[in-house]
Every structure is written in structure tokens, then in C-alpha cells.
């Protein structure tokens, strides 16, 4: 499996970042909700340049690393199944939701957010 990050709009001043995943002979494109000022993007390393003028680079790079881990975990969970793009997106959303529930982050159903950690503590 290969995960690469690309700019959606490299000719703009600021661009969102897309993840391109190649696995099992398939290509998947995901918009990950991250953005960067184009001048500070290193196309070769697929990360932000580490420069003093741009204070967001460390945080963006850390989030890209976390995205890579989540994507790898999701694809490992499929095993030998070659998923559709929808299956991948749904699995990633579920994984992020599970992480949010575990750490107490915000989710849509507030009752579930409190109930799941409570139940885990009991068992």
C-alpha cells in the first residue's frame, strides 16, 4: 500500500490536501480536510516545509502522519477484501469517530459519547 499527499489546487495561494492511496491495484482519492499555503508545500516530501515564517507546518505535518496511520489501519482491517471508495471513506469516518469517542472528543450523538467510555470503565 502507498499513501501520498497532494495539493488539490497547487496554483492557488492556499490549497486543501488530498490523500491518494494505492492498494490492491486500486486508486483511492480522499479529501482529508487539511489545507496549507502553497508556497510552504514540499511536493517531493509531500509535507510542509519547515520554515520559521510558517508556524502551522509542524501541526499540519503531524496531522498528515496521523492520517497515514489511520488509513493504514483501515486498509489492514479489510484484509483480503478489495474495498470500494465508499467502503474506505465510511471505514475512515468510523475510525475517526471511534477515536473521538475514546478520547472524549465531540461527536454527533452526545449520549453515545458519554455512555461508551463509561461502559468501558466498568469492564
Amino acid at each position: 500500500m502507498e499513501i501520498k499527499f497532494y495539493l488539490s489546487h497547487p496554483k492557488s495561494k492556499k490549497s486543501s490536501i488530498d490523500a491518494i492511496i494505492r492498494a490492491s491495484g486500486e486508486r483511492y482519492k480522499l479529501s482529508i480536510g487539511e489545507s496549507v499555503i502553497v508556497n510552504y508545500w514540499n511536493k517531493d516530501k509531500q509535507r510542509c516545509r519547515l520554515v520559521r515564517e510558517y508556524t502551522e507546518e509542524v501541526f499540519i505535518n503531524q496531522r498528515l502522519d496521523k492520517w497515514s496511520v489511520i488509513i493504514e489501519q483501515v486498509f489492514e482491517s479489510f484484509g483480503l477484501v478489495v474495498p470500494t471508495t465508499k467502503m474506505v471513506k465510511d471505514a475512515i469516518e468510523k475510525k475517526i469517530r471511534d477515536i473521538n469517542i475514546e478520547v472524549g472528543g465531540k461527536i454527533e450523538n452526545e449520549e453515545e459519547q458519554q455512555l461508551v467510555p463509561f461502559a468501558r470503565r466498568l469492564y
Side-chain angles (χ1 to χ4, degrees):
M1 181 177 64
E2 177 182 61
I3 304 168
K4 292 188 176 186
F5 296 100
Y6 295 96
L7 298 180
S8 299
H9 309 286
K11 295 185 184 205
S12 300
K13 185 175 182 176
K14 190 171 186 176
S15 175
S16 56
I17 301 170
D18 290 335
I20 304 292
I21 304 126
R22 295 186 189 278
S24 303
E26 298 291 323
R27 179 184 180 270
Y28 305 90
K29 180 179 177 184
L30 301 172
S31 179
I32 60 171
E34 299 291 337
S35 60
V36 64
I37 295 174
V38 173
N39 289 342
Y40 297 112
W41 182 253
N42 185 328
K43 188 171 136 180
D44 296 330
K45 292 184 179 181
Q46 301 163 21
R47 295 289 189 272
C48 288
R49 289 190 175 103
L50 301 175
V51 294
R52 193 175 318 160
E53 303 89 49
Y54 191 55
T55 57
E56 290 291 310
E57 82 277 356
V58 172
F59 303 112
I60 293 171
N61 289 343
Q62 286 174 347
R63 288 192 300 266
L64 292 177
D65 292 340
K66 288 177 184 177
W67 271 104
S68 292
V69 169
I70 289 170
I71 291 168
E72 287 173 5
Q73 290 172 346
V74 164
F75 272 87
E76 286 174 10
S77 72
F78 286 119
L80 296 175
V81 174
V82 179
T84 64
T85 301
K86 182 173 178 5
M87 289 170 67
V88 171
K89 287 180 181 180
D90 290 347
I92 288 173
E93 285 178 20
K94 183 181 181 318
K95 180 74 175 169
I96 291 171
R97 179 180 168 80
D98 291 347
I99 291 169
N100 275 327
I101 289 171
E102 191 173 308
V103 299
K106 186 172 174 150
I107 60 169
E108 289 179 24
N109 186 351
E110 293 289 331
E111 291 174 9
E112 185 178 339
Q113 181 176 1
Q114 297 167 359
L115 180 62
V116 172
F118 175 74
R120 286 187 180 147
R121 281 195 301 258
L122 287 177
Y123 296 101

